[in-house]
Amino acid sequence: MNHETLARGVPRTAPGAVVVLTLTGRVTVGPAEGRAICFGRNRPEVDVCVGETDLRVSRRHGALTRRDGYWWVDNTGRLPIRLPGTRWLFRDEDPIPLPVGYTPLFIRGSRDREHLLELYVAGEDGGQPAVQHGAPTQPPRRWRLTEEERLLLVVLGQRYLLHEASPQPISRQQAAEVLAELRPDANWSVKRVEHMVHDVRARLSAQGVYGLRRDEVGEPVGNALNENLLRELVLSTTLVPPDLALLDPLP
């Protein structure tokens, strides 16, 4: 059975307009400055109803507001809103601007349910972006690493490159021990591993990679910062499985 979705685009509408779709309805709102759309569980008091049978969803869970040429999403509910790219928006955090095109939002409900709120911001053509069947494919943005950084990150993230299910970085202590075997003259230590990984995270964060700072992932941080770093490096093909050859000298 095919369900309606905004993922395939929207009919032509005013440039900058936003279309909002849930299981219970759909609204389209023009791009006038100051326009607002409220969403949540309480159907009589919101513009878009989402999760109306789930008491984990707040009665007024969030809002979209048109300001400074963008639509901004704001969380006013008790539970966070999940955006693409493993990004979370919590209550009382600064609103996030929506890009042109399709954005799905997910509200976590009871018993691991997730309630979908689909958004589509119309571009200058008032609808779908232009198709580009014959245009050259844009390569992923690969990040520049020094030789030592690459070796360290391959050691730390070898489980990702081996395509293990639910991979995790190895511990800093393990990484330091492996590196000491590979390069016994390089004075590897746990502290050196920590500092070098921190420097790579800071460099990528400054260039726009999300999820590499403590304030972006929330407490407890655990291993989240290094997990996000390694996923970015693998997904951008900065690190690839053939890099595991750097570990070949190990017995």
Side-chain angles (χ1 to χ4, degrees), residues 169-239:
I170 69 171
S171 71
R172 291 165 295 185
Q173 180 66 46
Q174 286 178 291
E177 291 171 359
V178 171
L179 289 161
E181 285 190 66
L182 289 168
R183 304 279 175 88
D185 299 328
N187 299 317
W188 285 103
S189 66
V190 173
K191 282 294 184 185
R192 190 178 181 205
V193 168
E194 290 176 351
H195 289 316
M196 191 173 290
V197 172
H198 176 272
D199 289 346
V200 175
R201 287 203 312 260
R203 193 165 72 239
L204 269 61
S205 178
Q207 296 181 70
V209 179
Y210 186 82
L212 303 182
R213 301 200 317 260
R214 297 181 72 92
D215 61 310
E216 293 174 337
V217 301
E219 299 290 346
V221 173
N223 235 356
L225 300 180
N226 286 344
E227 289 175 21
N228 292 341
L229 172 63
L230 290 166
R231 286 197 181 94
E232 170 62 27
L233 293 173
V234 171
L235 290 174
S236 66
T237 66
T238 302
L239 297 182

Side-chain angles (χ1 to χ4, degrees), residues 66-88:
R66 182 72 177 182
R67 188 175 73 253
D68 300 328
Y70 291 90
W71 285 99
W72 301 75
V73 58
D74 187 33
N75 186 354
T76 59
R78 291 180 179 272
L79 293 176
I81 298 171
R82 181 166 64 86
L83 292 87
T86 68
R87 188 171 187 180
W88 294 86

